[in-house]
């Protein structure tokens, strides 16, 4: 019996010419997922995996024409429209994650450095949505470069189910249209404010000198050779913010003051950051601001270090974007397994132990 996960991808429109369809979508997709779970980073390695695991794969797939070649994997994912793959990825992800209510969804972009260096024109920059509580990627979209995040984020939001969530975005995504889009999706927002909106930035900043704020201090953190204390301040009377109505349902402004001390030198630094939010719960807002960096630490860093995404040279057609989605799919699977085991170690175990690999794949259907 084929793994349940295939039911989410087998209905994708096949981009290949009829005469070249020697291998089913089921086989190409499942072998790719299984290979990446076990550490494969290239099309050649996916083919190598398929050949080395042929008898095991034959127990769960119909493989009358054997294992697809690396060229077949490359052609398929290069031709596959990423919007199609993303739609099915989002449907599958919704089936495996827990309760989405009150989830914190961080949106941020990441550039694939090697592929961008090899690209003759624009680089490869992918904007992702990360669910902090569920530790899962909800979706992604490719842009030509980082500056295009402004137009990419609304497209990504359109594809996501984020009702009753809190969406956090850095200053690049602090745009009126994006705030309105989030509210139309029945979600709340926390948007970082910087000098790219000079008037808003100065008015938010000066408000904390002119008005009394509600304050919250979080426990002191001591890690990585430094001590850090953060204080959160919130103002819900927005009388000093001109044109506040242009920011859909903006209900509060927030200041985060961080004091850092380097243990070794005693050097102290103070930094202030500012945000606008569509609601007034300072406990929740402070949590959302802290969790936003999870997309860097729990997604982008892991993709680079444990899954070597930064070293990927794929750039033909839609190959880079679709392979990035395969990696995020594999990472979502690995995150669902024992959290005490590192991602790198899980990939090695999956490569060594067919029963463990099958368990990973078979526990990702409808919950």
């Amino acid at each position: 019996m084929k793994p349940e996960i295939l039911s989410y991808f087998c209905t994708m429109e096949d981009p290949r010419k009829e005469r070249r369809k020697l291998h089913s979508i089921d086989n190409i997709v499942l072998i790719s997922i299984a290979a990446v779970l076990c550490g494969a980073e290239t099309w050649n390695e996916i083919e190598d995996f398929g050949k080395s695991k042929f008898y095991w794969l034959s127990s769960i797939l119909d493989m009358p024409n054997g294992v697809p070649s690396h060229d077949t994997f490359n052609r398929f994912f290069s031709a596959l429209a990423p919007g199609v793959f993303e739609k099915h990825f989002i449907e599958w992800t919704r089936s495996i994650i827990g309760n989405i209510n009150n989830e914190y969804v961080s949106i941020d972009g990441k550039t694939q450095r090697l592929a961008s260096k090899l690209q003759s024109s624009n680089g490869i920059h992918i904007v992702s949505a990360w669910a902090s509580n569920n530790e899962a990627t909800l979706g992604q979209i490719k842009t030509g470069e980082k500056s295009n995040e402004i137009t990419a984020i609304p497209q990504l939001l359109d594809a996501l189910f984020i009702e009753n969530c809190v969406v956090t975005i850095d200053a690049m995504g602090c745009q009126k249209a994006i705030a309105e889009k989030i509210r139309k999706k029945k979600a709340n927002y926390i948007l970082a404010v910087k000098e790219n909106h000079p008037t808003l930035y100065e008015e938010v900043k000066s408000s904390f000198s002119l008005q009394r704020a509600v304050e919250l201090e979080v426990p002191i953190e001591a890690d990585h050779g430094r001590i850090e204390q953060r204080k959160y301040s919130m103002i819900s009377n927005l009388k000093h913010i001109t044109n506040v109505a242009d920011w859909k349902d903006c209900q509060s402004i927030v200041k985060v003051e961080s004091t850092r001390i380097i243990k070794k030198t005693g050097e102290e630094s103070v930094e202030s950051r500012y945000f606008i939010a569509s609601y007034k719960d300072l406990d929740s807002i402070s949590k959302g601001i802290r969790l936003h960096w999870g997309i860097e630490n729990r997604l982008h860093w892991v993709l680079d270090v444990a899954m070597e995404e930064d070293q990927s040279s794929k750039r033909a057609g839609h190959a880079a974007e679709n392979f990035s989605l395969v990696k995020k799919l594999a990472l979502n699977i690995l995150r669902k397994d024992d959290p005490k085991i590192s991602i790198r170690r899980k990939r090695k175990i999956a490569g060594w132990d067919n029963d463990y690999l099958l368990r990973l794949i078979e526990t990702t259907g409808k919950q």
Side-chain angles (χ1 to χ4, degrees), residues 171-241:
M172 181 69 77
C174 185
Q175 305 293 329
K176 296 169 186 175
I178 290 175
E180 184 172 3
K181 175 78 69 174
I182 293 169
R183 292 300 291 150
K184 283 185 177 180
K185 299 285 286 189
K186 297 183 180 179
N188 280 308
Y189 61 77
I190 304 170
L191 306 178
V193 180
K194 291 185 178 178
E195 289 87 345
N196 59 327
H197 285 288
T199 301
L200 178 63
Y201 178 78
E202 290 301 327
E203 289 177 346
V204 170
K205 184 177 178 181
S206 62
S207 291
F208 288 93
S209 300
L210 299 170
Q211 295 176 250
R212 178 174 294 180
V214 176
E215 296 184 347
L216 171 69
E217 287 194 8
V218 299
I220 294 175
E221 295 180 1
D223 199 6
H224 302 294
R226 69 185 184 188
I227 299 171
E228 183 167 1
Q229 173 69 64
R230 285 191 295 272
K231 181 173 74 174
Y232 295 82
S233 304
M234 181 185 74
I235 293 173
S236 55
N237 183 341
L238 306 182
K239 61 183 179 181
H240 294 294
I241 310 297

Side-chain angles (χ1 to χ4, degrees), residues 23-64:
H23 305 279
S24 68
I25 287 181
D26 280 1
N27 290 6
I28 293 173
V29 170
L30 190 70
I31 293 171
S32 298
I33 293 170
V36 172
L37 281 170
C38 295
E41 309 293 349
T42 67
W43 305 127
N44 291 81
E45 289 179 358
I46 291 175
E47 180 185 353
D48 293 341
F49 166 87
K51 289 179 176 177
S52 68
K53 298 279 189 179
F54 176 76
Y55 293 108
W56 177 79
L57 288 167
S58 298
S59 69
I60 57 175
L61 295 171
D62 296 325
M63 302 180 68

